[in-house]
Amino acid sequence: MSIYKSGVGDELVNPENYNIEVIDYLDEEARILEMLISKFNTVIEAGCMTGRNLKLIHSLGKKYIGVDLERRYIIEAKLNFGSVENALFVCSDIINIEDVLINSKQSKETAVIVFPFNSFGNVNDNYTTLKCLLQQRFEIVIFTYRNDSVTNEVRKDYYKKSGFKNLVIEENADGVRFHDKTGLDSKAFSKYWFDNLGSQTNNIFYHNHFAKIGVAYFNFKVENLT
């Protein structure tokens, strides 16, 4: 059973457990997200939980599709936002998003997939998932953590505040992985990992550092992103 299915993972999105660096990260993520999605009509939030960025995306006049593997999040999102115009919630693997767009009669040419708050780090097979989406020619934004000692300490503190005490940290060229016996398994991939995948799929991954601990990776060019 995953920490999200059991409910243990809900503590990771409880603001009471955020340290100041995570708060700054989320504030800056929202600001950068607004700039990165400006040219798109539809925003697909991968790992949306209960619709974490729906209000922001809807306020910008964009269509919203929230996708999550955990059914209880989708049920709650539909209860809270089911009447919102141009909003759709789907319990599915993000790999199947092309079928979702076809069924909802939306064009993927004007859509972007966004992985917020390191939701990409919770994906089971990150390499296969991202490669599949790239092969389907989706434009993608991934918000994640930097791979440095300062960020590692911030993440350790944040996870402990969220109830995950016996943490194991693994570091290599591909990135940093935090996990423990309760089921926490959060990966933050390195620029090397993204560049390696990009070279195999004919994609260039741009990146933008933000706040003290954050970095965004995206496979489309953006002018004047600061």
Side-chain angles (χ1 to χ4, degrees), residues 97-226:
I97 192 58
E98 191 165 29
D99 293 335
V100 173
L101 287 172
I102 291 171
N103 292 336
S104 61
K105 297 181 181 179
Q106 298 193 47
S107 170
K108 76 176 183 181
E109 282 69 31
T110 58
V112 60
I113 298 173
V114 176
F115 289 86
F117 197 18
N118 201 42
S119 67
F120 183 71
N122 299 324
V123 173
N124 288 329
D125 190 340
N126 307 85
Y127 180 88
T128 299
T129 296
L130 188 51
K131 184 175 181 180
C132 179
L133 294 174
L134 292 170
Q135 288 173 339
Q136 293 177 57
R137 300 187 182 280
F138 277 104
E139 293 188 288
I140 301 165
V141 180
I142 296 172
F143 290 100
T144 185
Y145 296 112
R146 302 187 202 185
N147 294 160
D148 57 42
S149 59
V150 171
T151 304
N152 289 349
E153 287 302 311
V154 170
R155 291 178 70 189
K156 185 191 299 183
D157 177 65
Y158 158 55
Y159 294 142
K160 285 186 175 181
K161 288 178 184 295
S162 300
F164 302 96
K165 305 296 185 183
N166 300 311
L167 296 167
V168 177
I169 306 172
E170 298 178 4
E171 300 180 63
N172 56 38
D174 287 337
V176 180
R177 176 190 177 206
F178 277 75
H179 60 101
D180 77 351
K181 291 181 180 180
T182 67
L184 175 72
D185 193 352
S186 181
K187 303 173 285 287
F189 293 98
S190 65
K191 185 177 184 299
Y192 167 83
W193 187 89
F194 281 99
D195 288 343
N196 183 51
L197 178 55
S199 68
Q200 297 180 46
T201 56
N202 295 317
N203 280 267
I204 296 174
F205 276 101
Y206 303 93
H207 72 286
N208 183 71
H209 289 96
F210 63 93
K212 190 175 183 179
I213 60 172
V215 57
Y217 290 95
F218 42 96
N219 64 331
F220 53 92
K221 201 164 186 178
V222 180
E223 299 295 336
N224 301 320
L225 179 63
T226 57

